[in-house]
């Protein structure tokens, strides 16, 4: 069974290790991700050393297909977030 | 934005905390995501996205410069999938 790390668990960890209230811990976890989202929405990249970089890419319009019904549909141009893992994260994931 | 700028912004929002605490908090968040992925656990941050580890089989690749065949060993990669909140906000959906 794999576990899942969530906002709630991160805030619990901060509460037990930093000595701030549970409410403050939860708020700062939310702010951490919200600040990243704000920059990504602005089209800016977010680089966290030793972890990785989040970039915004523009995708052009294309014709997609519903894999179930095989129906064709136009996929409008959109922006997507791309994550590039740092060397350090790649090493950690491979337990090197 | 880089990590130090993120620390600065969080400090501005939380004037009752000192920089050392904010630095500790950001490190704790990043470190716990990394150790979860190292254990092949999932990370799910609602409104932002999720991280998971996928296995890549070994394959024979080509060195793009020399055209030589090289063996690429099996490895694990960290994947990120943006969440609905982030996806919608990037595309200015309500």
């Amino acid at each position: 069974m794999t576990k899942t790390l969530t906002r709630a668990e991160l805030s619990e960890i901060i509460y037990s290790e930093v000595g701030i209230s549970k409410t403050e811990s939860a708020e700062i976890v939310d702010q951490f991700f919200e600040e990243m989202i704000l920059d990504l929405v602005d089209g800016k990249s977010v680089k966290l050393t030793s972890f990785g970089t989040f970039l915004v890419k523009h995708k052009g319009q294309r014709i997609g297909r519903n894999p179930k019904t095989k129906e064709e549909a136009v996929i409008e141009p959109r922006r997507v977030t791309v994550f590039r893992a740092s060397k350090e994260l790649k090493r950690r994931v491979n337990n090197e | 934005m880089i990590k130090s700028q993120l620390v600065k912004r969080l400090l501005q929002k939380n004037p009752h905390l000192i920089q050392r605490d904010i630095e500790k908090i950001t490190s704790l968040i990043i470190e716990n995501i990394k150790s979860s992925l190292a254990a092949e656990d999932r990370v799910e941050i609602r409104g932002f996205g999720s991280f998971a580890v996928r296995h890549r089989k070994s394959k024979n690749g080509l060195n793009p410069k020399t055209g030589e065949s090289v063996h690429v060993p099996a490895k694990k990669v960290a994947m990120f999938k943006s969440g609905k909140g982030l996806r919608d906000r990037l595309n200015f959906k309500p």
Side-chain angles (χ1 to χ4, degrees):
Chain A
M1 226 334 245
T2 52
K3 287 181 292 181
T4 304
L5 183 70
T6 61
R7 285 180 195 253
E9 267 159 302
L10 285 171
S11 115
E12 196 61 37
I13 292 162
I14 289 164
Y15 165 71
S16 64
E17 296 211 21
V18 184
I20 53 175
S21 75
K22 286 197 182 192
T23 319
E24 281 178 310
S25 304
E27 272 171 10
I28 204 154
V29 169
D30 289 345
Q31 288 166 2
F32 178 94
F33 294 105
E34 182 61 21
E35 289 299 324
M36 294 209 282
I37 292 172
L38 288 174
D39 270 29
L40 294 171
V41 170
D42 264 359
K44 296 176 191 151
S45 59
V46 177
K47 184 176 180 179
L48 303 176
T49 319
S50 89
F51 185 67
T53 307
F54 296 89
L55 305 158
V56 178
K57 277 204 168 178
H58 293 257
K59 297 267 187 181
Q61 178 183 298
R62 67 183 173 91
I63 307 291
R65 209 163 277 115
N66 180 328
K68 261 191 202 150
T69 64
K70 301 216 159 78
E71 230 172 291
E72 286 192 353
V74 177
I75 298 175
E76 296 301 329
R78 67 212 156 101
R79 296 196 299 168
V80 296
T81 312
V82 178
F83 174 68
R84 290 216 187 106
S86 70
K87 276 187 185 169
E88 148 85 1
L89 178 58
K90 286 180 185 167
R91 273 199 298 271
R92 285 284 295 276
V93 164
N94 286 284
N95 310 108
E96 281 166 17
Chain B
M1 176 168 70
I2 60 172
K3 208 193 290 174
S4 58
Q5 292 167 322
L6 179 56
V7 168
K8 234 181 227 165
R9 287 208 223 161
L10 293 175
L11 192 57
Q12 280 165 1
K13 293 202 154 199
N14 300 275
H16 56 292
L17 295 179
I18 57 168
Q19 184 163 339
R20 211 180 42 219
D21 286 336
I22 304 278
E23 281 166 354
K24 190 175 178 189
I25 290 164
T26 51
S27 309
L28 278 170
I29 294 174
I30 293 169
E31 185 49 39
N32 277 280
I33 295 177
K34 282 200 285 191
S35 54
S36 287
L37 293 174
E40 290 189 44
D41 287 339
R42 262 175 64 79
V43 178
E44 194 180 309
I45 310 296
R46 231 166 269 174
F48 180 70
S50 60
F51 298 89
V53 171
R54 286 222 195 122
H55 292 254
R56 292 265 181 271
K57 286 181 193 153
S58 70
K59 59 172 186 182
N60 288 311
L62 292 177
N63 179 327
K65 257 188 203 154
T66 65
E68 247 174 296
S69 169
V70 283
H71 179 72
V72 183
K75 64 180 171 188
K76 293 186 266 183
V77 291
M79 305 285 298
F80 173 72
K81 189 172 177 263
S82 58
K84 190 177 183 318
L86 176 55
R87 262 201 316 273
D88 287 350
R89 288 172 70 181
L90 273 184
N91 296 293
F92 310 107
K93 283 187 195 158

